Amino acid sequence: TPSNSSAASDVYKRQIVILLVFSGCVDITANWFLDAEGVIKNTVIVETSTMIQADAQMFITALKFALPQIFRDILWRTSEKENVYFLTPQSTLTISDLKHAGLNIMFSSERFELEIPKVLEDEPLSPDDVVLTLTIVFPWNIDIANTTDVQGNKVTWRVTKRMLYKGTTLKALFLKP
């Protein structure tokens, strides 16, 4: 199980501040395609209802600040659909990169764990508001995960403000091949 550390908590706090500042006007979905060696193809989709392009650029700059190791060379493009932006890192991202960025993450052929430590000091007014949707396609089928949204080798977690207040670990166990 990943251990709680102040470095990881600091990284998450920077990320969460960014997500919370924009949470009223954006829906953020991170899509990971993870191979057996821990290489991640990552796309972040940002859908806005009220954000104009200048605000979107500010959000992307904030992401680069929050996680420079991951978003240092991000390519962003707009969708044919208005107010939808796709953010894609241009270099390879690995589980190791995420660990070096301060995230407590564990990945093997048996399990996946990503710790989300307590980062909010005060209980949120809207605890069920989703601040991030994380979908991961794994190289193996899922046996069990701590979410109800599991389809074969694909799992989706919706990270809420309550989870940021209490802390949690996203977990998935894989079926034996």
Side-chain angles (χ1 to χ4, degrees), residues 1-146:
T1 302
S3 64
N4 190 6
S5 73
S6 63
S9 184
D10 289 346
V11 168
Y12 278 115
K13 284 183 181 178
R14 283 191 310 214
Q15 288 177 290
I16 299 313
V17 166
I18 301 304
L19 295 176
L20 291 175
V21 164
F22 289 95
S23 67
C25 57
V26 297
D27 291 324
I28 304 165
T29 302
N31 295 304
W32 294 2
F33 296 88
L34 184 57
D35 73 16
E37 286 75 41
V39 175
I40 303 166
K41 291 182 182 170
N42 176 32
T43 299
V44 177
I45 302 169
V46 179
E47 289 190 60
T48 72
S49 55
T50 60
M51 188 182 286
I52 59 172
Q53 187 165 351
D55 291 334
Q57 288 173 326
M58 185 173 66
F59 176 74
I60 293 162
T61 300
L63 280 177
K64 287 181 180 182
F65 168 76
L67 273 177
Q69 300 92 330
I70 297 172
F71 290 106
R72 65 186 170 272
D73 61 350
I74 196 158
L75 173 70
W76 75 287
R77 63 182 170 79
T78 56
S79 164
E80 293 177 7
K81 186 177 170 186
E82 188 176 351
N83 295 328
V84 177
Y85 303 89
F86 295 94
L87 314 176
T88 309
Q90 295 305 291
S91 59
T92 302
L93 183 63
T94 67
I95 293 293
S96 237
D97 294 333
L98 297 178
K99 286 180 182 180
H100 290 302
L103 278 70
N104 286 331
I105 189 167
M106 199 284 288
F107 174 65
S108 70
S109 61
E110 297 176 359
R111 67 190 309 141
F112 170 85
E113 293 184 11
L114 174 59
E115 180 186 359
I116 300 179
K118 174 183 169 73
V119 294
L120 297 179
E121 295 303 318
D122 297 324
E123 191 166 353
L125 296 176
S126 317
D128 295 325
D129 283 358
V130 174
V131 295
L132 171 69
T133 301
L134 175 62
T135 298
I136 303 177
V137 177
F138 293 102
W140 309 285
N141 283 334
I142 309 297
D143 182 21
I144 192 167
N146 60 347

